[in-house]
Amino acid sequence: MKDHVYKHIELTGTSAVSIEAAVTTAIKRAHKTIKKLSWFEVLETRGSIDKGKVLHWQVTIKVGFVVEG
């Protein structure tokens, strides 16, 4: 197995549906410009409330990817 070096960044995804959908939104968008995404870690979960119901989820994640070279 080759030893890898990883870089990580923070992203915040949003969704009106669920926490998982907010994470997926962030990862799908990052994948458009960053290749070899390897892992993620949930750092924060927030949401907005309207009339006693969750209106929107906002999830901040740390995403790691392999540094080429």
Side-chain angles (χ1 to χ4, degrees):
M1 178 182 216
K2 184 178 177 182
D3 294 331
H4 295 289
V5 173
Y6 296 92
K7 179 170 179 64
H8 58 87
I9 58 173
E10 286 187 21
L11 305 167
T12 301
T14 63
S15 172
V17 177
S18 68
I19 294 168
E20 291 85 359
V23 170
T24 299
T25 297
I27 291 171
K28 281 184 177 181
R29 183 71 56 88
H31 178 69
K32 290 180 179 182
T33 58
I34 302 169
K35 301 306 172 200
K36 298 206 177 188
L37 296 173
S38 299
W39 53 268
F40 75 93
E41 173 185 356
V42 175
L43 301 176
E44 285 186 320
T45 305
R46 294 176 298 282
S48 59
I49 302 168
D50 186 34
K51 299 178 183 171
K53 293 185 180 182
V54 174
L55 186 63
H56 214 86
W57 294 97
Q58 189 178 52
V59 181
T60 300
I61 60 175
K62 185 187 301 184
V63 179
F65 54 95
V66 175
V67 175
E68 294 292 328

